[in-house]
Amino acid sequence: MIGRDGELRALRGLLADAAAGHGGALHVHGSAGVGKSALLRAVAAEAAEGGFRVLSTSGVETEQWLPFAALQLLVQPAVRGVENLPAPHREALSDAFGATESEPGIYRVALAILELLADSAAQQPLLLLVDDLQWIDSSSRDVLRFVARRTRDLSILVIGASRVRSPDSSSPSVHPDLALEPLGWNAAGELLDAGAPGLPAPVRAMILERAAGNPLALVELPKAVQGMSAQMDDLPLTQRLEDAFAARTDSASRECRTFLLALAAEPNAPLNRLLEVSSLLSGSEVRVETLQEAVDAGLVSLVGYTPEFRHPLMRSAIYTRAALADRLATHRALAAVMDGTPERQLIHLAASALGPDEELAARLERFADASQAAGKVAAAVPALRQAADLVHDPRRRTGILIRAVELASEINDRIHTQMLLDRADPGVLGRVERARLMVVSDKAAFEPDEPHRRIQDMVTTAGGAFDAGNADVAEDLLWRAASRCFFQDGDTHVRAQAAAELDRWNPDPDAPHALMVRAYTEPYRHGADVIARFEALTPDRQDGRALHFLGSGAMSIGDLNRATGYLALAATAWRSQGRLGLLARSLAASWPRPYLGQLDQGREESAEGLALAEETGEWIMWLGLKATAGLVAALRGETDAAARTVRELRAHSLFPGMPFATVTAQQTDGLLALFDGRPAEAYDLLARAFDPADPHYHSVRRWLLAPDLADAAVAAGTTEQARELLAELPELAGRLPSEMMVVAHTYTDAVLAPDDTAQERYTAAIAALPAGWTLARAQLHLHHGRWLRRQRRNVDARHPLRLARDEFDRIGAQPWAEMAREQLRAAGESSGRRHPNTSEQLSAQEMQIAELASQGLSNREIGQRLFISHRTVGAHLYRIYPRLGITSRGKLATVLAALHEEHPETDLPDSTE
């Protein structure tokens, strides 16, 4: 490991942390031959010497068809621990690794693997090594990502290596990563001299120049120096290395070369199968002595009875150097001996095909059908991808690709989704296929550019699919277009076009899909009707999709209590099914919570939702959840955290084109300025959100900022400007009588009222506030008290100011609580120092765990609910107890009882009970 001192120090630090119970994950990436595999071997040796148990696996292209293939190899040495797992985990792993007819959900397997590894790590620290991440099957990749994100409180270190830095496709964790660069000149010379001492000076200089610091080249090129011609200067380094490797097989026997080619084509085949195939191809029996010849030549090594190439480039060199006829014959021979494993047989049949083969394409499609029916979607995707290459007709090819991309999207395989989309030809599609393609492209990547044109295209295409007789695809695409009207604040024209298209279909007006489209597209036109229909609905509490539609629609029009109720139920449904991407979406229930004064719940849900959104690639949800997290932090008085969160939000590439998030970011910045004593700046920031030409403007969500705008206007002395800015509010509130609009209208009407009518307007506003809007109610009490003080009615002011102070204290809105205390002191009443509430002593996840533990859930039950290890739950509780001044689980309920009373949970309205 010459020249890798810095990298080794970093890895040793990670090992030390993991040994101390603070695990982590690292993604090593660099070009072929730069030393990734060598670095993994070095850290494996040091870990083993340090008492770690080392588990390793590597990706192989052919096994991308085989769900959980890489994972099974990784955990095989630890399978004895499976018998100690709870029954659901045992069943998940049995289904994943056994020859069952169905495949379990990814996250059921992931949680079982996490628990298996956590239990093992409790006995002995674990190092998980995954080489060639770019080639592992998508199921294994998703499980590894899941585990890597949850090692912080476990003695587990996960290190993966790949040729490129592509966290979304190959890294087990989004961060951190280690870019492995070529060696410097001095280290390169030292490595070359260590492996090939005494080289003539011209040859040494030539190798150093051509190796360009690549360690593998520095080791291998001297072995082939005699064959290095001048023409090699024009070859890429990887090809030079492959040529050097391949040249080492020239002196091998024909049987040995045949065996090596079979191993290159099927690296994980059992030794007896490889010898059988080699014998078929050679026409004579190939014995184990042939394997020994390859070992003696330094081409392969043995791990037990399993042969492995010494480097992935050696495998690709032998395969690509072989004659085409030999490669095809090898794949045919492998297919012939694998009739008991249809997946592998089809892999080799497809690899042996020359040009289109309709019969084989049909067979691949049938295999995909069977896989999909059994829930083995990850196996169906590569089969369809291969089938598309084997058909003549362009339209049929694109139809197969669309099906493949739909399935890839279903399992959240975003890299293959995009690759397949790039291969599809929209020009040959019919109306339904074009709509299906647009649906999956919307799932794969939310393009922020030209939003109005994109929405219009989606609406038109949805109409075409509906006319062609496929209402399901049409509805799917239309609600996506409608959601863009909300997220990107579509203009009046596209909103009307989407709503008109729905009207043309004459849908059931109470259908969740129809309600959501109407709420998203034309809330001021349909809002009153949508709210009335909400009142009469009794949705199925197990139907996560319908509940999510209803919750999203309610949220978009500002019916916030109903939105949190529906979305919380949807989240419960997705949580029970282990569907983390959908759970991240429904944890958008946290978005309304700050306005309802539910800061603790908003903090917990946005933190969990953010982690899941990052993990599943739900970046639109990430923007909303991040915006919520920033707003909650500001309201809790966590100024630095709020400012940092908004900076991170604004730095996201999608942020500029997403007004639903930009408006909340602007609200947070405005509040931070107001709390910091800069009211004029606060007013200017908030007023920008009401300017249609400003990127922070949203035609509907701006009204959530109206109370804060009024507060800033009073403090800055700009009440007249604020009245002008809000001039259209009364008329719009009459057309859309949602909670948001009622609060915006009544609150601003009171706070901005002239003195001669202020008292009656405060009284009316407080009476008109919807139930549950505790923050707005407390703010109104504060402003009422301020107004009374300005009227020199200090004694009368104390009562509303006390109400405001106590409510702000209960919900944890520190900056507002301090304002109330200052006003009380000015009114002649001292106010004791506020005592921190329980939630301020714990992180968001710790608060979740404490709540669940106080309800009597076991560590395993909490872990299953939050998708973390039960040992992580135990580690959190160990830290929670002393912070709360208790010593045992039994006292949690008492400590949290007061907090429960202060934060009643919002549920569905009575009509849905």
Side-chain angles (χ1 to χ4, degrees):
M1 295 306 296
I2 292 170
R4 298 300 188 198
D5 293 344
E7 290 85 349
L8 287 171
R9 277 196 301 273
L11 290 169
R12 286 169 187 145
L14 292 174
L15 284 173
D17 288 342
H22 309 295
L26 182 71
H27 177 213
V28 181
H29 56 89
S31 58
V34 80
K36 301 182 296 297
S37 299
L39 192 64
L40 295 190
R41 287 194 296 270
V43 73
E46 293 204 16
E49 290 179 7
F52 277 74
R53 186 179 192 182
V54 181
L55 306 179
S56 62
T57 190
S58 61
V60 177
E61 302 98 314
T62 55
E63 296 209 330
Q64 292 183 70
W65 288 51
L66 309 174
F68 305 113
L71 185 68
Q72 186 170 13
L73 288 173
L74 178 70
V75 302
Q76 198 167 24
V79 292
R80 288 187 178 179
V82 171
E83 61 190 27
N84 298 321
L85 295 176
H89 294 333
R90 293 199 307 271
E91 292 168 7
L93 295 183
S94 175
D95 289 343
F97 298 151
T100 57
E101 293 185 356
S102 62
E103 182 180 313
I106 287 290
Y107 295 109
R108 280 188 59 214
V109 177
L111 189 57
I113 289 291
L114 177 65
E115 293 287 48
L116 174 69
L117 296 175
D119 287 347
S120 179
Q123 307 301 318
Q124 182 181 12
L126 281 182
L127 172 63
L128 309 183
L129 299 176
V130 187
D131 207 353
D132 287 324
L133 275 165
Q134 71 276 4
W135 289 331
I136 68 170
D137 62 276
S138 63
S139 302
S140 296
R141 177 203 64 209
D142 290 343
V143 171
L144 287 169
R145 272 188 185 165
F146 181 94
V147 170
R149 287 175 173 273
R150 292 162 174 78
T151 59
R152 187 180 63 181
D153 294 299
L154 305 171
S155 293
I156 300 175
L157 175 60
V158 183
I159 303 178
S162 65
R163 292 187 183 178
V164 293
R165 185 187 185 279
S166 182
D168 284 341
S169 62
S170 57
S171 174
S173 180
V174 172
H175 61 276
D177 64 30
L178 172 64
L180 205 57
E181 303 292 346
L183 296 176
W185 184 263
N186 291 335
E190 184 181 350
L191 178 58
L192 177 59
D193 293 341
L199 286 174
V203 174
R204 182 180 185 275
M206 177 184 67
I207 292 175
L208 282 173
E209 179 185 357
R210 293 181 179 177
N214 185 286
L216 185 65
L218 291 164
V219 171
E220 294 296 334
L221 291 183
K223 300 175 185 177
V225 70
Q226 299 301 321
M228 291 175 68
S229 63
Q231 286 77 12
M232 288 184 69
D233 285 332
D234 298 327
L235 296 178
L237 177 60
T238 299
Q239 190 170 342
R240 290 183 201 167
L241 280 168
E242 288 186 347
D243 284 353
F245 280 136
R248 290 167 60 182
T249 67
D250 290 345
S251 60
S253 66
R254 179 174 179 274
E255 289 79 10
C256 184
R257 292 197 301 274
T258 302
F259 176 84
L260 290 170
L261 180 55
L263 178 61
E266 185 54 79
N268 287 328
L271 178 56
N272 63 332
R273 190 62 53 84
L274 290 170
L275 293 174
E276 180 184 357
V277 169
S278 302
S279 299
L280 284 173
L281 293 167
S282 298
S284 59
E285 186 178 4
V286 176
R287 299 174 179 274
V288 74
E289 288 79 10
T290 300
L291 170 60
Q292 189 61 49
E293 179 185 350
V295 172
D296 293 342
L299 298 169
V300 300
S301 59
L302 278 174
V303 179
Y305 294 106
T306 303
E308 293 181 355
F309 285 105
R310 289 189 174 275
H311 193 278
L313 277 180
M314 189 174 292
R315 174 174 164 250
S316 61
I318 288 171
Y319 186 83
T320 56
R321 178 79 172 262
L324 177 60
D326 290 340
R327 293 205 301 266
L328 297 178
T330 300
H331 284 298
R332 284 194 295 270
L334 285 164
V337 301
M338 291 187 170
D339 52 358
T341 51
E343 299 100 329
R344 292 185 183 274
Q345 185 179 54
L346 279 171
I347 289 170
H348 292 292
L349 285 174
S352 68
L354 269 178
D357 187 331
E358 296 288 345
E359 183 181 346
L360 180 55
R363 184 173 171 184
L364 287 163
E365 285 189 273
R366 289 194 297 273
F367 171 79
D369 292 340
S371 297
Q372 184 180 359
K376 299 182 178 182
V377 177
V381 172
L384 291 170
R385 186 177 70 234
Q386 198 76 50
D389 290 335
L390 297 174
V391 298
H392 256 305
D393 180 49
R395 182 167 180 175
R396 184 173 169 225
R397 181 187 309 118
T398 296
I400 293 172
L401 288 171
I402 290 174
R403 184 181 168 199
V405 80
E406 286 173 335
L407 295 179
S409 176
E410 184 179 319
I411 59 174
N412 207 36
D413 189 348
R414 293 177 182 270
I415 296 302
H416 279 114
T417 297
Q418 194 58 56
M419 288 170 56
L420 292 162
L421 282 171
D422 293 342
R423 291 176 57 192
D425 180 4
V428 301
L429 295 177
R431 289 179 294 180
V432 174
E433 289 80 7
R434 188 175 295 113
R436 289 169 59 199
L437 185 63
M438 191 167 278
V439 166
V440 291
S441 65
D442 185 71
K443 289 181 182 178
F446 198 108
E447 306 90 348
D449 300 330
E450 299 186 78
H452 305 312
R453 181 195 59 77
R454 176 73 175 182
I455 294 169
Q456 192 168 11
D457 288 348
M458 294 171 77
V459 172
T460 302
T461 305
F466 184 85
D467 292 339
N470 197 320
D472 289 342
V473 172
E475 287 181 0
D476 196 359
L477 187 54
L478 187 63
W479 83 255
R480 290 178 181 279
S483 70
R484 284 175 179 256
C485 288
F486 171 72
F487 291 127
Q488 298 184 284
D489 200 22
D491 62 24
T492 303
H493 175 71
V494 297
R495 285 175 177 271
Q497 184 183 9
E501 184 61 39
L502 179 70
D503 290 341
R504 189 174 73 86
W505 300 353
N506 192 28
D508 175 358
D510 291 321
H513 162 266
L515 287 170
M516 198 213 70
V517 170
R518 289 189 168 125
Y520 269 175
T521 54
E522 294 190 317
Y524 298 118
R525 177 186 172 196
H526 295 294
D529 179 65
V530 169
I531 292 171
R533 293 185 184 280
F534 277 148
E535 295 289 347
L537 286 179
T538 54
D540 179 356
R541 289 175 172 246
Q542 305 304 314
D543 188 346
R545 188 171 184 269
L547 289 164
H548 184 83
F549 275 152
L550 293 170
S552 297
M555 186 168 60
S556 70
I557 60 175
D559 202 11
L560 300 194
N561 274 300
R562 199 182 309 275
T564 56
Y566 283 138
L567 290 171
L569 286 174
T572 299
W574 301 137
R575 193 184 296 279
S576 67
Q577 297 171 32
R579 303 182 71 174
L580 301 197
L582 293 171
L583 176 58
R585 294 185 184 188
S586 289
L587 284 172
S590 66
W591 300 357
R593 293 203 188 277
Y595 306 102
L596 300 177
Q598 298 166 6
L599 301 188
D600 289 342
Q601 288 169 284
R603 181 178 70 131
E604 293 163 22
E605 290 174 352
S606 62
E608 183 184 12
L610 275 170
L612 295 177
E614 287 180 1
E615 187 163 8
T616 57
E618 293 286 348
W619 294 113
I620 306 303
M621 298 302 105
W622 184 93
L623 291 173
L625 289 158
K626 196 75 167 176
T628 300
L631 179 59
V632 168
L635 291 170
R636 285 168 56 91
E638 298 161 354
T639 304
D640 292 343
R644 181 178 65 252
T645 301
V646 172
R647 284 196 303 272
E648 293 169 354
L649 175 64
R650 291 183 179 277
H652 196 282
S653 60
L654 289 177
F655 176 82
M658 295 293 171
F660 88 104
T662 65
V663 67
T664 307
Q666 195 73 355
Q667 181 178 20
T668 303
D669 285 342
L671 283 173
L672 289 175
L674 182 64
F675 295 154
D676 194 40
R678 296 174 279 127
E681 181 183 346
Y683 178 81
D684 289 341
L685 287 168
L686 294 165
R688 286 174 58 188
F690 291 81
D691 178 1
D694 192 275
H696 301 92
Y697 173 87
H698 191 285
S699 60
V700 182
R701 283 178 68 86
R702 59 184 161 139
W703 299 119
L704 289 169
L705 280 63
D708 298 329
L709 178 80
D711 296 340
V714 170
T718 55
T719 54
E720 190 57 40
Q721 294 96 311
R723 290 191 194 106
E724 293 177 7
L725 209 58
L726 302 174
E728 63 180 331
L729 176 55
E731 190 263 337
L732 291 178
R735 292 162 56 188
L736 175 60
S738 68
E739 294 175 350
M740 171 185 70
M741 301 301 286
V742 169
V743 170
H745 183 208
T746 58
Y747 187 103
T748 58
D749 186 60
V751 172
L752 299 177
D755 287 343
D756 59 343
T757 61
Q759 179 60 57
E760 60 187 78
R761 295 193 187 187
Y762 274 115
T763 302
I766 290 171
L769 282 182
W773 284 70
T774 54
L775 180 62
R777 187 176 303 277
Q779 287 175 270
L780 268 178
H781 285 310
L782 171 61
H783 281 284
H784 187 203
R786 276 176 167 166
W787 178 80
L788 289 169
R789 278 198 58 247
R790 289 199 301 272
Q791 306 306 307
R792 303 183 182 279
R793 296 168 57 185
N794 283 345
V795 174
D796 293 337
R798 293 170 189 170
H799 177 65
L801 291 174
R802 283 189 217 107
L803 292 175
R805 176 201 60 194
D806 293 346
E807 193 64 50
F808 289 137
D809 279 347
R810 279 194 293 272
I811 66 178
Q814 286 194 44
W816 287 118
E818 288 307 311
M819 289 184 188
R821 282 180 165 75
E822 289 175 8
Q823 290 295 315
L824 266 174
R825 285 193 291 270
E829 180 176 305
S830 62
S831 186
R833 181 174 296 180
R834 174 184 171 276
H835 298 290
N837 65 34
T838 303
S839 70
E840 293 171 31
Q841 303 171 53
L842 306 178
S843 71
Q845 189 175 70
E846 287 171 339
M847 193 65 198
Q848 278 184 303
I849 289 171
E851 291 275 7
L852 294 170
S854 72
Q855 296 167 19
L857 274 69
S858 69
N859 286 7
R860 283 201 186 274
E861 290 170 332
I862 296 171
Q864 289 172 9
R865 179 179 171 83
L866 300 181
F867 302 99
I868 56 178
S869 167
H870 73 286
R871 295 187 181 276
T872 297
V873 174
H876 277 302
L877 287 171
Y878 182 78
R879 293 190 292 266
I880 288 169
Y881 295 155
R883 292 184 197 170
L884 300 183
I886 60 177
T887 57
S888 69
R889 190 188 207 97
K891 297 179 180 179
L892 274 173
T894 302
V895 171
L896 297 178
L899 194 64
H900 285 309
E901 293 174 5
E902 294 162 5
H903 297 274
E905 292 188 4
T906 302
D907 205 343
L908 285 177
D910 291 340
S911 61
T912 65
E913 292 294 334

